[in-house]
Amino acid sequence: MAGDGAGVTGKSDPIITRLASEDKKWFYQKPNLLYLYLMLFPTCMGIELTSGFDSQMINALQIVPFWKIYFKDPQGALKGIIAAAYSLGAILSLPFIPMVNDRFGRRWSIFGGSVIMVIGALVQGFSVHVGMYIVARMILGFGIPTCIVSGSSLIGELAYPKERPVMTSLFNVAYFVGQIIAAAICFGTNNIQSDWAWRIPSLLQICPSLLQITFVFFLPESPRWLITKDRGDEALAILEKYHGESDRGAEFVAAEFAQMQTTIKLELEAAKKSWLDLFKTAGMRRRVLITTMLGLFTQWSGNTLISYYLGDLLKMIGFTDTTYVQKINVSIACWSLVCGATVSLLVTKIRRRVMYLACTISLLLCYISWTISMERAQTAAQAGTPNNAANIATLFFIYAYSPCYNMGYNALTYTYMVEVWPYAERSSGIAFFQLFGRLAGFFTTFVNPIGLNSVGWRYLISYCCWLAYEVVFVYFFFPETFGRTLEELAFLFEDKHLAEQANAAVEKVLNEKNADAISLGGEKGRSEVRENVA
């Protein structure tokens, strides 16, 4: 395939991947690793709870009568800016993320972003007019990207190589948990006969951030970040504790540490730690192109229609009862969670390009079918003769959308970004992904209500055209990253000799059997490893 061959030259021999695959112990048989994963869930995994909560809350509150009354039933552009303010705040924070990550590390970045979101949720819940509500949503949006970039990176950099793809894929699944919680809360408060019908959900958006603030310092820092700060002893201790619980744990940790040190050293020699690093080589520019398009794809594939404007879509086909619409809202959120979790468990079995192509092709077919059924339903409704079969078909394709989208754009998004970007530019690369994702999200959430009001079902045709472009782009430009560690993918688009230098360091450690000299926690063993990879 055209997109597969272009990135082969920089892939290194997967020595660490083979060593990890030889480890037959499950993660739950390793007490330290099990503890690590349990702590990753409320902290890093929990970050996307906020995004899912936000999208569903805004979706559901537009159905709540007292929200409409308090804010004078906003329509068109005002309705769009209320939803899009979250993305606008995120865009404003993105230039600072790489600096914050590099200086303070992953954990402090998560903590700082969570504090900002706590402030935003409080302002949102006590808003006295629509302007204050919009500003509160911008504050929430300002805090979330720092947490997302840091959290997704930290998962990839702490997880054992064998489980790393599944862990990074589950990162986005928390989005649907947040959706379910928000949908259930809004369903429960829908009939409250006061402003608390919308203030309670708005205030409860504080909860995911409180989880991160409470648990983040129970996690270790990224070993790769510690290596860049000349704190190799601490990095090695973390690897020994969490990755050294297998039968050949000492040997594996020695080889992994050698690979990390050598790869990061090679990366930093070529990097100036600036945004310009993203554009200075052909390999980096290709990463930027893929990242830019993936950011657009995750938001312009029609998902924001369902996430933010489900009430409007259902109203167009005759479903107007608020209680019934809220029930559909909750059920779609639950269905999305099932689809997202199921697909995330398959990322160690199916190649990345296969999943992305299946995702884009199925989305295109789903949207074409949805557009046809929507046209039949809306035309019949306008003629005063409702077409129940078309209404049911439209609802079916709204549900069918979820497994198609989750196949690639949910399950693989951060897994792929962590794999495509080497450590030195990972924060900048994921921030760049966030930039285009947020720009696309801001645009589409702002434009969607205008488009639906203006042209009805015809608006869906624009998504069909874009999805056809996605299929072509994925086929020709997306590289395969399946079955490699992060260091084995670090020079994916660069010269082969760089990958070979990293491999040489690993082979040196293994061939000289220095891993046998390491006693876990022993300073002598650590010194020998550092000498051999220096």
Side-chain angles (χ1 to χ4, degrees), residues 131-178:
M132 186 173 175
Y133 198 79
I134 290 170
V135 170
R137 292 183 49 70
M138 288 179 65
I139 296 171
L140 278 161
F142 192 89
I144 190 67
T146 305
C147 294
I148 289 176
V149 172
S150 304
S152 59
S153 298
L154 191 57
I155 292 171
E157 292 164 7
L158 282 176
Y160 190 69
K162 195 163 63 170
E163 290 97 28
R164 193 259 310 158
V166 172
M167 295 297 291
T168 50
S169 295
L170 287 173
F171 177 75
N172 247 4
V173 173
Y175 179 94
F176 299 118
V177 178

Side-chain angles (χ1 to χ4, degrees), residues 42-43 46 49 206-216:
T43 50
L49 286 171
I206 198 174
C207 294
S209 299
L210 290 178
L211 277 177
Q212 278 104 63
I213 290 170
T214 303
F215 289 102
V216 70

